[in-house]
Amino acid sequence: MTGNTLDPYSDRYAHRTHGLAVSEIRALFAVANRPEVVSLAGGMPYTAALPLDAVGSMLGELVARNGATVLQYCAGQGDVRLRELICEVMAEEAITGASSDDVVITVGSQQALDLISRIFLDPGDVVLAEGPSYVGALGTFAAAEAEVVHVPLDSDGLVPAALEAALEALRAAGRQAKFLYTVPNFHNPAGVTLAVERRAQIVELCERYDVLIIEDNPYGLLGFDGQTRPALKSLAPERVVYLGSFSKTFASGVRVGWAYAPSAIRDKLVLLSESQILCPPMLSQLAVAEYLSTQPWREQVKTFRELYRERRDALLDGLDALMPPGCTWTKPDGGFYVWLTLPEGLDAKVMQPRGIAERVAYVPGIGFYADGSGQREMRLSYCFPTPDRIREGVRRLAGVVEQELELRATFLSTEPAAAKVRWPRGSAPGPELA
Ligand code: PMP
């Protein structure tokens, strides 16, 4: 063996594994989950708000009545009754007349992202994606050794003029993006939503430059005004692969998501999924189908919306009251996340140990970019902690930012020569050591 002492197999891994890295979020998980830490880091849905007794009885009855089917393999594309019910769910966001034949059930939408990456991406291929972008999608693009070109967002979501500029630049370089990956509603991590008037513009640009759209929409029903916006899929069915999930509207633990794709792509999705997992888990699929057909699921989504709105308010009120000048943040109308930008000169990753010492966790922004940017940015999630814990978390975070600002001011005023030292990225000592 010619591997190294740490990993004797290091000489034989496939090239694509070189893109595999621990996500910023996973690395934080252990520490953020300690009870004394207020975690604004993880994006865990608040499953305790489900009617657990009712769900428990439903599952028991399902197995008692149909155990032989529920505990069996199924078709690789997924259970047909669930696929029909999914068409009804998608109608909530203006996808009408969907055909269950074109729906493929996946193990969460994460598996759908992985399938899409494997189907479309060869090493070096270009993916257009918002900057910042969902870290789990970036992981699948990295594993496929693709190159991500980020397109900026603003408070109305992906900026059409910036998308056009990126498409033009690629064309001028003789390159073509394999697809645009976008999260139009209540973006993870940016918290913003694509304005309705921009949706047609984005679709028109992708038509003009012949780019496929991957529309990832796990949060679309969680708008705090109770309204939904038309899916991109409803505007251009043949141009868009739509990804949905029950993780945020029912339960992330059932691991049921889906892709709704043009028929040719659907065939590839089914074949590749069969080679990965044979078929999606029947127990989970029938649990979701039963939940959708016997439980008041729309009422439950409303309960989730109200719960998350109260938590969003606690976070935004706290930020307004306590954050030092120079910090800015997005104001989500739904979903789980606020995206915060620190004052000039601060680095969210460098500040993180101080945050942990002060018992507050967040996710540094750099994990949400493929190009190493995002140093001044961070994601704050309000989905899991109670409003009181959120207020306490913001109080701690504001204190951490203030300490960093003070330290920086002292450092810059007393050590002008040292202040000019440029540390290689990732190796800068925390200000507490400098
Ligand atoms: N896409 C986005 C934008 C997400 O935020 C998430 C979950 N955090 C997923 C996909 C994956 O969700 P799941 O696999 O649970 O359906």
Side-chain angles (χ1 to χ4, degrees), residues 127-135 137-138 141 148-154 156-160 162-163 166 179-195 198-199 202 213-218 232 339 365 367-371 373 377:
V127 172
L128 290 161
E130 286 124 351
S133 226
Y134 167 52
V135 66
L138 293 181
F141 306 151
V148 175
V149 172
H150 285 296
V151 182
L153 305 143
D154 63 18
D156 282 330
L158 189 65
V159 180
L163 176 61
F179 54 77
L180 165 69
Y181 168 71
T182 179
V183 180
N185 298 312
F186 321 122
H187 190 271
N188 179 4
V192 298
T193 291
L194 186 62
R198 283 191 181 177
R199 297 184 180 227
I202 300 290
I213 299 173
I214 310 299
E215 176 178 28
D216 186 10
N217 186 33
L232 301 176
W339 188 243
F368 300 95
Y369 290 89
D371 59 7
S373 52
E377 296 161 13

Side-chain angles (χ1 to χ4, degrees), residues 108-110 113 134 181 183 188 216 218-219 245 247-248 255 337:
S109 49
Q110 191 63 37
L113 284 167
Y134 167 52
Y181 168 71
V183 180
N188 179 4
D216 186 10
Y219 304 98
S245 172
S247 286
K248 326 288 169 175
R255 309 302 303 127
Y337 309 106

